[in-house]
Amino acid sequence: MKNIEFKVTSSSCCTPRVPSNTKETVKEEHASYNGNLPVAIIGAGPIGLAAAAHLAERGQNFILFEAGSSIAQNILQWGHVRLFSPWQYNIDKAAERLLRKQGWKPPVLTELPFGQEIVHQYLKPLAQLPELEPYIMLNSRVVSVSKKNIDKMKSAHREAAPFVLYVDANSSTQRFEARAVIDASGTWGHPNPLHADGIWTREERDLKDHIYYGIPDLSAEQRQKYAGKRVAVVGGGHSAINTLLDLAQLKETDSNTEVIWVMRKKSVEEAYGGEENDQLEARGALGSRIHQLIDAGQIQVVTPLMIEGLSQKDGKIGIKGTANGQGKEIQGIDEVIVNTGSRPDFTFLSELRLSMDPATESVEALAPLIDPNVHSCGTVRPHGEKELRHFDKNFYLVGMKSYGRAPTFLMATGYEQVRSIAAYLDGDLEAALKVELELPETGVCGVSSGPNANDCCLPTSSASGCK
């Protein structure tokens, strides 16, 4: 993949007419809407690249901005983690069609890939296709999105104005125009804090050298950071379980390693999930394995504990909070690993008019469909362009970011989102409205509520989707 310079020019715009019901007329309206400006895609992960594949199949202009130095750079940070879902749920159909034209051979669809295999066997070959590669800009961070010459307060002619994206690339801030924007930047890099109140404190930030957010790779250099140490893992979902299983293996080679599991759940049994009843077998196996380790005394469990503060004394960390209304503190911690989920970043979208749910921080129309208090990954109903609309027409949040803080996202759900959006932007309303998706029932995502919601759909705090 190479960096490219992609220049676009604005054209005269007209106020969009009321959409008709005929595909031909809708195509004409989309063609006149901001001329031949491209669709801008933010993020070269699975969902962003799928959006590019669908647009390419339909002959639609696009440009894709990736902040990292390679595609799917976020996934590579948890590349050592095996996904819960098999390949069949992790390959987009349009992407597969384009790849097969170039002789690509798909992996065994029933096998469970590691994150790094998703990147090297699927996403990198996809990004290198001639239909996509020339339009991907690496090392290009979108720092702001707005409407051309119109700030957030102004309404006149707003819908007809193109989007403008300010992008830090090639040691300067460049300005691009687009007729639509698909934000697939995910939630990676914006983890939730460990505090039960959901806020960041100076104490937590000051301890950044001793707090890791995600699932560390204990087969690499990070192994020495935790070997022989007293380690606390904070979180009640499958990300935490993955971390705990890795630490348990480390403990087998270094018996001085002490592992403490800190949760908000009322009992540890709530964290075991569906075990043998989980339709995704690999995920159910995690619950069974952690159950066995706890019964064997290999992992110390502290639950429920609502963390309210951190302290540091003589090089050791103290975790303070309340348990059943009583004050409690865990002392003598060397390292903390936090698996409490993630949250979206809206700072670079502050000039847009968004439609967001205040609780889930998801697209507003999605909130009742994905509320983890009610839904599991497998009971979320299929949805597409219609549900993903915002007040600013033709701007879309997709993938994990569209779900905000809700943990019930599946990668396959994101693929269906961008398929529907690409159809709509191509003027194919019939295809845009026909959303269909079969999801595996998890049996566990909905067991928790409120701040204890289970992050069953994530291998780590990433934008990768339900695994």
Side-chain angles (χ1 to χ4, degrees), residues 33 43 63 72 87 117 127 151 176 202 205 229 244 261 305 319 329 332 346 358 402 404 452 464-465:
Y33 188 81
I63 181 170
W87 273 107
E117 292 175 331
D151 65 28
F176 297 83
R202 176 178 294 181
R205 295 189 186 280
K229 302 291 183 61
L244 290 161
W261 190 6
L305 179 64
I319 300 176
E329 183 171 2
F346 299 120
S402 70
N452 298 333
S464 61

Side-chain angles (χ1 to χ4, degrees), residues 40-42 65 141-148 150-152 158 162-167 174-178 180-183 185 345-354 392-397 401:
I41 304 169
I42 306 173
F65 301 103
R141 180 177 297 278
V142 177
V143 294
S144 187
V145 183
S146 186
K147 300 287 278 186
K148 184 179 181 181
I150 297 176
D151 65 28
K152 192 173 187 176
R158 185 176 188 86
F163 292 93
V164 289
L165 294 89
Y166 286 81
V167 182
Q174 302 177 33
R175 185 175 182 271
F176 297 83
E177 295 184 13
V181 177
I182 300 174
D183 182 356
S185 60
D345 174 23
F346 299 120
T347 56
F348 65 94
L349 304 176
S350 60
E351 285 303 311
L352 296 180
R353 297 180 178 181
L354 305 179
D392 275 334
K393 180 180 173 63
N394 289 347
F395 174 83
Y396 302 97
L397 295 172
K401 192 167 184 178

Side-chain angles (χ1 to χ4, degrees), residues 152 181 183 185-187 342-370 386-392 395-406 417:
K152 192 173 187 176
V181 177
D183 182 356
S185 60
T187 58
S342 55
R343 57 183 64 178
D345 174 23
F346 299 120
T347 56
F348 65 94
L349 304 176
S350 60
E351 285 303 311
L352 296 180
R353 297 180 178 181
L354 305 179
S355 175
M356 307 302 298
D357 178 73
T360 61
E361 294 186 9
S362 69
V363 178
E364 187 173 26
L366 287 188
L369 306 179
I370 64 175
K386 183 179 179 181
E387 292 80 10
L388 295 169
R389 295 175 185 175
H390 289 272
F391 294 115
D392 275 334
F395 174 83
Y396 302 97
L397 295 172
V398 299
M400 189 67 206
K401 192 167 184 178
S402 70
Y403 275 46
R405 299 194 189 192
Q417 289 178 340

Side-chain angles (χ1 to χ4, degrees), residues 187 189-208 211-214 264 307-310 338-344 405 461:
T187 58
H190 301 279
N192 289 324
L194 54 74
H195 283 68
D197 297 331
I199 52 89
W200 288 94
T201 65
R202 176 178 294 181
E203 288 75 17
E204 183 169 356
R205 295 189 186 280
D206 287 347
L207 286 167
K208 64 182 185 299
I211 301 179
Y212 185 91
Y213 300 88
R264 305 170 191 170
I307 299 176
E308 298 174 349
L310 297 172
V338 180
N339 294 132
T340 55
S342 55
R343 57 183 64 178
R405 299 194 189 192
S461 302

